[in-house]
mmCIF file of all heavy atoms in Angstrom:
data_model
loop_
_atom_site.group_PDB
_atom_site.id
_atom_site.type_symbol
_atom_site.label_atom_id
_atom_site.label_comp_id
_atom_site.label_asym_id
_atom_site.label_seq_id
_atom_site.Cartn_x
_atom_site.Cartn_y
_atom_site.Cartn_z
ATOM 1 N N CYS A 1 -3.394 7.925 -0.686
ATOM 2 C CA CYS A 1 -3.589 7.419 -2.044
ATOM 3 C C CYS A 1 -4.150 6.006 -1.959
ATOM 4 O O CYS A 1 -4.663 5.599 -0.923
ATOM 5 C CB CYS A 1 -2.275 7.451 -2.833
ATOM 6 S SG CYS A 1 -0.917 6.554 -2.044
ATOM 7 N N LYS A 2 -4.060 5.267 -3.045
ATOM 8 C CA LYS A 2 -4.481 3.869 -3.062
ATOM 9 C C LYS A 2 -3.317 3.015 -3.550
ATOM 10 O O LYS A 2 -2.435 3.514 -4.267
ATOM 11 C CB LYS A 2 -5.712 3.674 -3.948
ATOM 12 C CG LYS A 2 -6.955 4.397 -3.430
ATOM 13 C CD LYS A 2 -8.180 4.083 -4.273
ATOM 14 C CE LYS A 2 -9.403 4.837 -3.766
ATOM 15 N NZ LYS A 2 -9.756 4.442 -2.385
ATOM 16 N N VAL A 3 -3.316 1.740 -3.172
ATOM 17 C CA VAL A 3 -2.239 0.854 -3.579
ATOM 18 C C VAL A 3 -2.802 -0.483 -4.035
ATOM 19 O O VAL A 3 -3.741 -1.012 -3.456
ATOM 20 C CB VAL A 3 -1.217 0.639 -2.430
ATOM 21 C CG1 VAL A 3 -1.856 -0.062 -1.235
ATOM 22 C CG2 VAL A 3 0.003 -0.126 -2.922
ATOM 23 N N GLN A 4 -2.233 -0.997 -5.112
ATOM 24 C CA GLN A 4 -2.553 -2.337 -5.604
ATOM 25 C C GLN A 4 -1.325 -3.203 -5.377
ATOM 26 O O GLN A 4 -0.206 -2.815 -5.742
ATOM 27 C CB GLN A 4 -2.926 -2.290 -7.093
ATOM 28 C CG GLN A 4 -3.411 -3.622 -7.653
ATOM 29 C CD GLN A 4 -3.974 -3.479 -9.066
ATOM 30 O OE1 GLN A 4 -4.513 -2.429 -9.426
ATOM 31 N NE2 GLN A 4 -3.837 -4.526 -9.853
ATOM 32 N N LEU A 5 -1.521 -4.398 -4.790
ATOM 33 C CA LEU A 5 -0.410 -5.209 -4.316
ATOM 34 C C LEU A 5 -0.156 -6.458 -5.149
ATOM 35 O O LEU A 5 0.792 -7.189 -4.889
ATOM 36 C CB LEU A 5 -0.651 -5.601 -2.856
ATOM 37 C CG LEU A 5 -0.840 -4.408 -1.905
ATOM 38 C CD1 LEU A 5 -1.247 -4.897 -0.521
ATOM 39 C CD2 LEU A 5 0.440 -3.581 -1.826
ATOM 40 N N ARG A 6 -0.998 -6.721 -6.120
ATOM 41 C CA ARG A 6 -0.770 -7.822 -7.055
ATOM 42 C C ARG A 6 -1.586 -7.547 -8.317
ATOM 43 O O ARG A 6 -2.536 -6.758 -8.296
ATOM 44 C CB ARG A 6 -1.138 -9.177 -6.458
ATOM 45 C CG ARG A 6 -2.594 -9.336 -6.098
ATOM 46 C CD ARG A 6 -2.892 -10.760 -5.644
ATOM 47 N NE ARG A 6 -2.184 -11.119 -4.438
ATOM 48 C CZ ARG A 6 -2.664 -10.914 -3.206
ATOM 49 N NH1 ARG A 6 -3.840 -10.322 -3.046
ATOM 50 N NH2 ARG A 6 -1.982 -11.274 -2.156
ATOM 51 N N ALA A 7 -1.217 -8.189 -9.406
ATOM 52 C CA ALA A 7 -1.946 -7.999 -10.659
ATOM 53 C C ALA A 7 -3.396 -8.422 -10.470
ATOM 54 O O ALA A 7 -3.678 -9.507 -9.964
ATOM 55 C CB ALA A 7 -1.289 -8.805 -11.775
ATOM 56 N N HIS A 8 -4.307 -7.567 -10.869
ATOM 57 C CA HIS A 8 -5.747 -7.813 -10.764
ATOM 58 C C HIS A 8 -6.188 -8.027 -9.316
ATOM 59 O O HIS A 8 -7.238 -8.617 -9.058
ATOM 60 C CB HIS A 8 -6.166 -9.008 -11.628
ATOM 61 C CG HIS A 8 -5.710 -8.899 -13.044
ATOM 62 N ND1 HIS A 8 -6.154 -7.904 -13.887
ATOM 63 C CD2 HIS A 8 -4.826 -9.642 -13.759
ATOM 64 C CE1 HIS A 8 -5.569 -8.036 -15.062
ATOM 65 N NE2 HIS A 8 -4.757 -9.073 -15.012
ATOM 66 N N GLY A 9 -5.384 -7.552 -8.371
ATOM 67 C CA GLY A 9 -5.721 -7.696 -6.961
ATOM 68 C C GLY A 9 -6.557 -6.535 -6.458
ATOM 69 O O GLY A 9 -6.814 -5.551 -7.158
ATOM 70 N N GLU A 10 -6.963 -6.667 -5.208
ATOM 71 C CA GLU A 10 -7.771 -5.633 -4.568
ATOM 72 C C GLU A 10 -6.957 -4.345 -4.407
ATOM 73 O O GLU A 10 -5.724 -4.373 -4.279
ATOM 74 C CB GLU A 10 -8.232 -6.144 -3.203
ATOM 75 C CG GLU A 10 -9.213 -5.240 -2.488
ATOM 76 C CD GLU A 10 -9.723 -5.840 -1.187
ATOM 77 O OE1 GLU A 10 -9.488 -7.044 -0.959
ATOM 78 O OE2 GLU A 10 -10.347 -5.102 -0.404
ATOM 79 N N VAL A 11 -7.646 -3.232 -4.406
ATOM 80 C CA VAL A 11 -7.016 -1.930 -4.212
ATOM 81 C C VAL A 11 -7.341 -1.441 -2.797
ATOM 82 O O VAL A 11 -8.491 -1.506 -2.353
ATOM 83 C CB VAL A 11 -7.510 -0.916 -5.266
ATOM 84 C CG1 VAL A 11 -6.918 0.461 -4.998
ATOM 85 C CG2 VAL A 11 -7.143 -1.397 -6.665
ATOM 86 N N TYR A 12 -6.328 -0.964 -2.093
ATOM 87 C CA TYR A 12 -6.484 -0.539 -0.704
ATOM 88 C C TYR A 12 -6.193 0.954 -0.556
ATOM 89 O O TYR A 12 -5.257 1.473 -1.175
ATOM 90 C CB TYR A 12 -5.513 -1.306 0.208
ATOM 91 C CG TYR A 12 -5.733 -2.796 0.232
ATOM 92 C CD1 TYR A 12 -5.139 -3.622 -0.726
ATOM 93 C CD2 TYR A 12 -6.523 -3.383 1.209
ATOM 94 C CE1 TYR A 12 -5.330 -4.996 -0.712
ATOM 95 C CE2 TYR A 12 -6.722 -4.763 1.234
ATOM 96 C CZ TYR A 12 -6.126 -5.560 0.276
ATOM 97 O OH TYR A 12 -6.326 -6.914 0.295
ATOM 98 N N GLY A 13 -6.971 1.606 0.275
ATOM 99 C CA GLY A 13 -6.623 2.960 0.681
ATOM 100 C C GLY A 13 -5.383 2.909 1.545
ATOM 101 O O GLY A 13 -5.180 1.957 2.311
ATOM 102 N N CYS A 14 -4.533 3.928 1.453
ATOM 103 C CA CYS A 14 -3.289 3.895 2.225
ATOM 104 C C CYS A 14 -2.714 5.288 2.390
ATOM 105 O O CYS A 14 -3.189 6.261 1.795
ATOM 106 C CB CYS A 14 -2.257 2.989 1.547
ATOM 107 S SG CYS A 14 -1.608 3.658 -0.008
ATOM 108 N N ARG A 15 -1.660 5.337 3.199
ATOM 109 C CA ARG A 15 -0.817 6.522 3.323
ATOM 110 C C ARG A 15 0.601 6.095 2.997
ATOM 111 O O ARG A 15 1.076 5.078 3.521
ATOM 112 C CB ARG A 15 -0.901 7.081 4.749
ATOM 113 C CG ARG A 15 -2.241 7.777 5.054
ATOM 114 C CD ARG A 15 -2.639 7.646 6.503
ATOM 115 N NE ARG A 15 -3.031 6.286 6.841
ATOM 116 C CZ ARG A 15 -2.546 5.612 7.872
ATOM 117 N NH1 ARG A 15 -1.627 6.154 8.658
ATOM 118 N NH2 ARG A 15 -2.958 4.379 8.121
ATOM 119 N N ALA A 16 1.251 6.817 2.121
ATOM 120 C CA ALA A 16 2.568 6.429 1.628
ATOM 121 C C ALA A 16 3.568 7.558 1.828
ATOM 122 O O ALA A 16 3.221 8.741 1.727
ATOM 123 C CB ALA A 16 2.493 6.058 0.150
ATOM 124 N N GLN A 17 4.819 7.162 2.096
ATOM 125 C CA GLN A 17 5.866 8.152 2.318
ATOM 126 C C GLN A 17 7.229 7.537 2.053
ATOM 127 O O GLN A 17 7.494 6.390 2.412
ATOM 128 C CB GLN A 17 5.818 8.665 3.765
ATOM 129 C CG GLN A 17 6.848 9.725 4.082
ATOM 130 C CD GLN A 17 6.712 10.236 5.517
ATOM 131 O OE1 GLN A 17 5.847 9.777 6.264
ATOM 132 N NE2 GLN A 17 7.557 11.182 5.898
ATOM 133 N N LEU A 18 8.098 8.304 1.391
ATOM 134 C CA LEU A 18 9.475 7.882 1.182
ATOM 135 C C LEU A 18 10.302 8.209 2.409
ATOM 136 O O LEU A 18 10.227 9.316 2.951
ATOM 137 C CB LEU A 18 10.077 8.596 -0.023
ATOM 138 C CG LEU A 18 10.021 7.911 -1.383
ATOM 139 C CD1 LEU A 18 10.641 8.824 -2.426
ATOM 140 C CD2 LEU A 18 10.736 6.574 -1.365
ATOM 141 N N SER A 19 11.100 7.245 2.835
ATOM 142 C CA SER A 19 12.049 7.462 3.919
ATOM 143 C C SER A 19 13.382 6.908 3.453
ATOM 144 O O SER A 19 13.547 5.690 3.349
ATOM 145 C CB SER A 19 11.580 6.759 5.197
ATOM 146 O OG SER A 19 12.523 6.940 6.233
ATOM 147 N N GLY A 20 14.312 7.797 3.139
ATOM 148 C CA GLY A 20 15.546 7.362 2.500
ATOM 149 C C GLY A 20 15.226 6.802 1.128
ATOM 150 O O GLY A 20 14.560 7.465 0.318
ATOM 151 N N ASP A 21 15.644 5.563 0.855
ATOM 152 C CA ASP A 21 15.362 4.930 -0.430
ATOM 153 C C ASP A 21 14.193 3.965 -0.347
ATOM 154 O O ASP A 21 13.903 3.261 -1.321
ATOM 155 C CB ASP A 21 16.601 4.173 -0.929
ATOM 156 C CG ASP A 21 17.745 5.112 -1.275
ATOM 157 O OD1 ASP A 21 17.465 6.256 -1.694
ATOM 158 O OD2 ASP A 21 18.910 4.705 -1.116
ATOM 159 N N ASP A 22 13.532 3.892 0.806
ATOM 160 C CA ASP A 22 12.434 2.949 0.996
ATOM 161 C C ASP A 22 11.084 3.655 0.995
ATOM 162 O O ASP A 22 10.961 4.791 1.471
ATOM 163 C CB ASP A 22 12.587 2.193 2.319
ATOM 164 C CG ASP A 22 13.787 1.264 2.319
ATOM 165 O OD1 ASP A 22 14.232 0.883 1.217
ATOM 166 O OD2 ASP A 22 14.270 0.923 3.412
ATOM 167 N N LEU A 23 10.090 2.959 0.463
ATOM 168 C CA LEU A 23 8.726 3.457 0.482
ATOM 169 C C LEU A 23 7.969 2.765 1.617
ATOM 170 O O LEU A 23 7.928 1.534 1.683
ATOM 171 C CB LEU A 23 8.034 3.170 -0.852
ATOM 172 C CG LEU A 23 6.556 3.559 -0.958
ATOM 173 C CD1 LEU A 23 6.389 5.064 -0.849
ATOM 174 C CD2 LEU A 23 5.953 3.030 -2.253
ATOM 175 N N HIS A 24 7.392 3.555 2.512
ATOM 176 C CA HIS A 24 6.613 3.019 3.627
ATOM 177 C C HIS A 24 5.131 3.247 3.339
ATOM 178 O O HIS A 24 4.714 4.370 3.055
ATOM 179 C CB HIS A 24 7.021 3.691 4.936
ATOM 180 C CG HIS A 24 8.417 3.346 5.372
ATOM 181 N ND1 HIS A 24 8.688 2.405 6.343
ATOM 182 C CD2 HIS A 24 9.616 3.794 4.937
ATOM 183 C CE1 HIS A 24 9.994 2.303 6.503
ATOM 184 N NE2 HIS A 24 10.584 3.136 5.650
ATOM 185 N N ILE A 25 4.369 2.161 3.412
ATOM 186 C CA ILE A 25 2.941 2.208 3.100
ATOM 187 C C ILE A 25 2.156 1.715 4.306
ATOM 188 O O ILE A 25 2.390 0.608 4.793
ATOM 189 C CB ILE A 25 2.620 1.321 1.880
ATOM 190 C CG1 ILE A 25 3.444 1.755 0.651
ATOM 191 C CG2 ILE A 25 1.127 1.353 1.561
ATOM 192 C CD1 ILE A 25 3.375 0.775 -0.506
ATOM 193 N N GLU A 26 1.240 2.537 4.785
ATOM 194 C CA GLU A 26 0.353 2.154 5.884
ATOM 195 C C GLU A 26 -1.052 1.993 5.308
ATOM 196 O O GLU A 26 -1.628 2.948 4.760
ATOM 197 C CB GLU A 26 0.349 3.212 6.989
ATOM 198 C CG GLU A 26 1.713 3.447 7.631
ATOM 199 C CD GLU A 26 2.235 2.205 8.349
ATOM 200 O OE1 GLU A 26 1.402 1.447 8.906
ATOM 201 O OE2 GLU A 26 3.466 2.001 8.337
ATOM 202 N N LEU A 27 -1.591 0.782 5.390
ATOM 203 C CA LEU A 27 -2.893 0.484 4.807
ATOM 204 C C LEU A 27 -4.025 0.951 5.723
ATOM 205 O O LEU A 27 -3.926 0.852 6.960
ATOM 206 C CB LEU A 27 -3.027 -1.016 4.560
ATOM 207 C CG LEU A 27 -1.971 -1.666 3.654
ATOM 208 C CD1 LEU A 27 -2.229 -3.157 3.548
ATOM 209 C CD2 LEU A 27 -1.979 -1.022 2.274
ATOM 210 N N ASP A 28 -5.105 1.423 5.117
ATOM 211 C CA ASP A 28 -6.278 1.829 5.898
ATOM 212 C C ASP A 28 -7.046 0.621 6.427
ATOM 213 O O ASP A 28 -7.759 0.727 7.427
ATOM 214 C CB ASP A 28 -7.207 2.690 5.034
ATOM 215 C CG ASP A 28 -6.558 4.003 4.623
ATOM 216 O OD1 ASP A 28 -5.560 4.395 5.260
ATOM 217 O OD2 ASP A 28 -7.047 4.626 3.651
ATOM 218 N N ALA A 29 -6.919 -0.507 5.751
ATOM 219 C CA ALA A 29 -7.565 -1.753 6.174
ATOM 220 C C ALA A 29 -6.587 -2.892 5.933
ATOM 221 O O ALA A 29 -5.780 -2.835 5.001
ATOM 222 C CB ALA A 29 -8.862 -1.992 5.402
ATOM 223 N N PRO A 30 -6.626 -3.939 6.741
ATOM 224 C CA PRO A 30 -5.655 -5.027 6.599
ATOM 225 C C PRO A 30 -5.764 -5.731 5.243
ATOM 226 O O PRO A 30 -6.852 -5.901 4.693
ATOM 227 C CB PRO A 30 -6.019 -5.991 7.738
ATOM 228 C CG PRO A 30 -6.779 -5.165 8.710
ATOM 229 C CD PRO A 30 -7.516 -4.149 7.899
ATOM 230 N N ALA A 31 -4.615 -6.153 4.743
ATOM 231 C CA ALA A 31 -4.545 -6.953 3.522
ATOM 232 C C ALA A 31 -3.950 -8.309 3.876
ATOM 233 O O ALA A 31 -3.113 -8.415 4.784
ATOM 234 C CB ALA A 31 -3.687 -6.271 2.473
ATOM 235 N N ALA A 32 -4.354 -9.343 3.171
ATOM 236 C CA ALA A 32 -3.860 -10.691 3.436
ATOM 237 C C ALA A 32 -3.020 -11.193 2.272
ATOM 238 O O ALA A 32 -3.264 -10.835 1.111
ATOM 239 C CB ALA A 32 -5.019 -11.648 3.698
ATOM 240 N N GLY A 33 -2.035 -12.028 2.576
ATOM 241 C CA GLY A 33 -1.247 -12.655 1.524
ATOM 242 C C GLY A 33 -0.315 -11.713 0.802
ATOM 243 O O GLY A 33 -0.053 -11.888 -0.388
#
């Protein structure tokens, strides 16, 4: 899927999965800040 990490921020391709109560997100390209 895609993920946005701040309001009006860049959108990144990613892979996401729930593990227990936590969401793990692996980005397709590095994000800063």
